[in-house]
Amino acid sequence: MSRHNDQRLADILAAAAAIEDHVSRGGLDDGLVFDAVRIRLLEIGEAVKAIDRGLLAHEPDVPWVDIAAMRNHLAHRYFDTAHAIVQATITEDLPPLVAAVERLLEETTRRRL
């Protein structure tokens, strides 16, 4: 696997960690926290769009297309972004995504050895 994929996977993990840090400082009703989380979710979607589809196929239970679509929504329809959707994404979708990305990163590292 290319270094490019590794970097993008690491970007996802860094953005997820930043989201966790942001929400530990306050809820999404705080505009700064909401904006910070929204940007990090956008970064995750951007990273997903840049990862090789063949690699993503190793984690078929992750809705990669939906993650990229959310990025587009966050980037282009920011006034239409519901706090409840962002909260559900953080609590329900982010943990399994992080676990899948960690497995992919481990797999790419193992393949290089």
Side-chain angles (χ1 to χ4, degrees):
M1 297 287 86
S2 73
R3 180 166 149 70
H4 177 77
N5 286 327
D6 292 350
Q7 288 175 329
R8 297 300 173 236
L9 292 168
D11 291 343
I12 292 169
L13 294 178
I19 289 170
E20 186 176 325
D21 184 50
H22 295 320
V23 296
S24 75
R25 297 172 188 215
L28 296 180
D29 55 326
D30 179 324
L32 290 176
V33 172
F34 181 75
D35 288 347
V37 168
R38 190 174 59 78
I39 287 299
R40 295 301 184 151
L41 289 172
L42 194 145
E43 290 173 358
I44 289 171
E46 194 66 32
V48 164
K49 290 171 63 172
I51 297 172
D52 178 67
R53 298 290 156 233
L55 177 60
L56 297 180
H58 289 276
E59 291 288 340
D61 292 335
V62 176
W64 301 113
V65 172
D66 293 341
I67 294 169
M70 184 169 192
R71 176 258 174 236
N72 293 338
H73 178 86
L74 292 169
H76 301 292
R77 302 197 53 180
Y78 36 84
F79 293 116
D80 294 336
T81 303
H83 284 62
I85 292 172
V86 173
Q87 185 63 57
T89 299
I90 294 167
T91 57
E92 299 170 21
D93 301 328
L94 208 52
L97 173 64
V98 167
V101 169
E102 287 172 342
R103 288 189 298 269
L104 288 173
L105 195 53
E106 187 176 299
E107 178 65 23
T108 59
T109 301
R110 197 175 19 244
R111 287 181 182 187
R112 277 196 310 258
L113 299 177

